[in-house]
Amino acid sequence: MVSTKILLDEEEIPKQWYCILPDLPKPLPPIIDPKKKSPGPGIVPQIFPKEILAQEMSTERWIDIPEEVRDVYRLWRPTPLFRAVRLEKILKTPAKIYYKYEGVSPPGSHKPNTAVAQAYYNMKEGKERMTTETGAGQWGSALAFGCMFFNLKCTVYMVKTSYNQKPYRRILMELWGAEVYASPSTKTEAGRKILAEDPNNPGSLGIAISEAVEDALTHEETNYGIGSVFNHVLLHQTVIGQEAKKQLELLEEYPDIIFGCIGGGSSFSGLFWPFYYDKVSGKAIKDVKFVAVEPTACPSVTKGEYMYDHGDTARLTPLVKMHTLGHEFIPAPIHAGGLRYHGIAPTISILSQEKELETRAYDQVEVFDAARLFARTEGIIPAPEPSHAIKGVIDEALKCRETGEEETILFLLCGHGHFDMQAYDDYLQGKLPPYEYPEEEVKKAIKKLKELYPWLEKLPY
Ligand SMILES: Cc1ncc(COP(=O)(O)O)c(C=O)c1O
């Protein structure tokens, strides 16, 4: 009988996070302050606590996890690692498929790994409130959860389409004590401006970020928390990969290939960074490959341009070099698979540019097909986001069936899909068409960005 669920004891919750920055093949290009047209953090120091800023630029590989944070992690960590034997069987593959499951956290995803840490550092710095944005509500509910443990108030700007169509995550946030506004809202200058131009604007993550950042900037006792993209967020997620490595060690296994989905890149980085560290420090037993999967509806890396752009629509945030679809990107309402951010973590971009990482894109129908097969074999209902990784894994396992290769595949099931029933219902009723973001739109957005900042191309980074 193959053991299908590998658990660790509480003491095995990692005591440090791993920071990839000292191990990147090239240093990250600096952040650019558009007002000065030169390197500078812009508003960033005004919205994050000092400890987080230090982590953002850390030259240290290992950063201690505060005991107070580990104490909250104990509620759900260490998370289980499963072997997907039933999926392997139905695919008739010689590959072994393992997945690390983060859906056991109370908010149902990997997001609280960083939310709890961010709330802790803000509390330590004497802040009283945190603001943030959320799409369908995964990140907002994680921050509401984190703030609750450290007695901070929490304000969440939720993309209007989700606010109206998906009330359950809003209710969850409110239950954990957060106040939630549909974005664009009348609470902020950025929101009011957009509503004046287009009262029916459906909202986007870029707009919601502008609102949350403005709220933090204009209130002294308030800071902003971000759920992905930034280095410190990805760093906090590395508890995932460190645990997975230990769990595989118990089985005397090491992955040949690791899959994860990417929206901003935090969950996948949390899984693969510790294996990347093995690689660069000469400890890897195999030449492990990393594959990031994104939707064809929001193809930030596969179709986006690697250039400086803002993280938000109102251009409050400084310019960061990353793959981007342009900061005015609004996802097609028909897209149900999550992962809707126009940019990506700069570390994902640089690793992809340096060919350390492969990126693939799938459309929502093939992704939901994969999710259904997973639910019907493994039982767990995956969130649409990690279902992109599942599709990648299924393709890889089928390739192994052809070649006879006995690969060990690892992927991150970063959340459950219990709040995504509307998307599943639409899928089951055949209402979700395959959708690909048009190349033309990307070109238009990039042209606009280059016209906005013609000096960008002259920068030496
Ligand atoms: C369950 C889940 N997975 C993945 C993501 C994508 O973000 P990231 O790439 O930072 O993990 C999200 C984003 O909200 C999410 O809710």
Side-chain angles (χ1 to χ4, degrees):
M1 168 77 186
V2 184
S3 144
T4 57
K5 184 179 182 186
I6 296 87
L7 298 168
L8 294 173
D9 290 337
E10 249 179 57
E11 314 83 74
E12 311 255 29
I13 297 172
K15 295 196 167 65
Q16 293 181 311
W17 292 300
Y18 165 63
C19 175
I20 202 171
L21 298 184
D23 294 323
L24 285 175
K26 270 185 180 174
L28 283 181
I31 293 177
I32 300 289
D33 183 341
K35 288 205 182 90
K36 295 188 192 150
K37 302 182 185 172
S38 63
I43 51 128
V44 169
Q46 296 170 55
I47 54 173
F48 290 132
K50 289 190 184 61
E51 199 69 39
I52 292 277
L53 287 171
Q55 291 178 2
E56 189 57 29
M57 294 169 294
S58 176
T59 48
E60 300 289 322
R61 268 191 193 87
W62 298 99
I63 294 168
D64 288 342
I65 306 178
E67 248 336 288
E68 293 90 331
V69 172
R70 287 185 80 237
D71 213 38
V72 183
Y73 280 176
R74 272 191 194 93
L75 278 172
W76 74 96
R77 304 212 72 83
T79 60
L81 179 96
F82 289 92
R83 177 156 170 203
V85 278
R86 295 174 183 88
L87 180 64
E88 288 170 16
K89 201 166 159 200
I90 205 155
L91 296 173
K92 298 191 181 66
T93 178
K96 284 182 255 178
I97 303 174
Y98 291 98
Y99 60 97
K100 178 80 168 156
Y101 184 42
E102 290 292 304
V104 293
S105 76
S109 78
H110 64 291
K111 301 273 178 185
N113 294 331
T114 183
V116 171
Q118 291 188 43
Y120 169 78
Y121 290 121
N122 278 287
M123 174 277 291
K124 282 297 257 190
E125 204 155 281
K127 292 292 163 184
E128 291 168 18
R129 183 169 71 102
M130 289 185 76
T131 64
T132 199
E133 72 290 338
T134 198
Q138 284 275 21
W139 165 242
S141 55
L143 193 68
F145 171 83
C147 284
M148 176 181 72
F149 287 103
F150 299 108
N151 296 319
L152 296 176
K153 291 186 202 134
C154 181
T155 305
V156 182
Y157 293 88
M158 184 172 187
V159 175
K160 197 192 274 168
T161 36
S162 298
Y163 183 95
N164 292 334
Q165 287 166 11
K166 298 171 188 162
Y168 294 122
R169 282 229 173 247
R170 170 182 58 77
I171 297 165
L172 186 57
M173 291 184 257
E174 289 172 351
L175 192 58
W176 278 328
E179 48 176 13
V180 186
Y181 298 100
S183 166
S185 77
T186 52
K187 293 273 298 171
T188 66
E189 198 55 49
R192 286 190 293 270
K193 193 161 167 255
I194 286 165
L195 287 174
E197 282 163 15
D198 174 12
N200 297 319
N201 189 300
S204 71
L205 273 178
I207 295 170
I209 295 174
S210 299
E211 293 208 88
V213 167
E214 182 189 319
D215 186 343
L217 277 173
T218 49
H219 295 91
E220 181 58 35
E221 79 305 337
T222 303
N223 262 348
Y224 166 71
I226 186 146
S228 190
V229 179
F230 276 63
N231 302 329
H232 67 271
V233 179
L234 280 53
L235 164 93
H236 297 155
Q237 296 296 350
T238 58
V239 288
I240 301 173
Q242 294 182 68
E243 286 178 10
K245 242 168 67 173
K246 273 194 190 162
Q247 286 159 313
L248 288 173
E249 262 166 41
L250 291 175
L251 300 169
E252 299 183 356
E253 287 278 15
Y254 200 87
D256 292 288
I257 187 161
I258 302 182
F259 285 85
C261 65
I262 47 166
S266 72
S267 52
F268 182 48
S269 299
L271 179 66
F272 88 85
W273 280 12
F275 291 92
Y276 176 87
Y277 172 68
D278 276 1
K279 220 172 171 174
V280 291
S281 60
K283 291 185 188 139
I285 306 169
K286 294 178 180 171
D287 185 21
V288 49
K289 280 202 291 183
F290 309 119
V291 184
V293 188
E294 61 181 12
T296 53
C298 182
S300 314
V301 184
T302 48
K303 275 197 186 158
E305 181 113 344
Y306 183 46
M307 67 178 291
Y308 276 100
D309 195 6
H310 291 283
D312 71 310
T313 308
R315 304 184 204 129
L316 296 176
T317 53
L319 294 161
V320 175
K321 194 158 184 186
M322 60 181 174
H323 287 87
T324 180
L325 299 170
H327 58 268
E328 289 179 359
F329 173 79
I330 295 202
I334 197 71
H335 172 58
L339 310 172
R340 296 177 177 91
Y341 187 58
H342 67 272
I344 197 74
T347 47
I348 292 269
S349 284
I350 212 160
L351 290 168
S352 151
Q353 289 295 105
E354 295 298 308
K355 311 269 182 278
E356 295 283 346
L357 178 87
E358 191 192 318
T359 320
R360 295 182 196 164
Y362 293 112
D363 77 59
Q364 59 180 356
V365 177
E366 38 191 8
V367 165
F368 277 94
D369 284 346
R372 180 174 60 182
L373 180 63
F374 189 83
R376 289 186 180 178
T377 47
E378 293 300 307
I380 296 173
I381 294 161
E385 292 88 351
S387 302
H388 290 75
I390 297 175
K391 167 65 181 155
V393 167
I394 291 174
D395 280 2
E396 185 71 18
L398 292 175
K399 193 194 87 190
C400 290
R401 184 167 81 187
E402 297 290 305
T403 61
E405 271 178 282
E406 293 177 14
E407 275 189 345
T408 300
I409 303 173
L410 172 65
F411 78 94
L412 183 61
L413 184 52
C414 51
H416 65 63
H418 297 177
F419 289 93
D420 299 286
M421 288 305 151
Q422 188 59 54
Y424 275 108
D425 193 32
D426 289 347
Y427 163 70
L428 291 172
Q429 292 190 43
K431 290 186 191 161
L432 293 185
Y435 177 77
E436 207 167 304
Y437 191 62
E439 193 86 50
E440 269 319 294
E441 292 298 319
V442 184
K443 282 195 188 131
K444 258 196 260 167
I446 300 306
K447 185 164 170 269
K448 208 167 163 189
L449 191 55
K450 286 180 180 167
E451 281 166 5
L452 181 67
Y453 299 127
W455 47 269
L456 263 182
E457 297 202 76
K458 296 193 189 84
L459 288 176
Y461 315 108

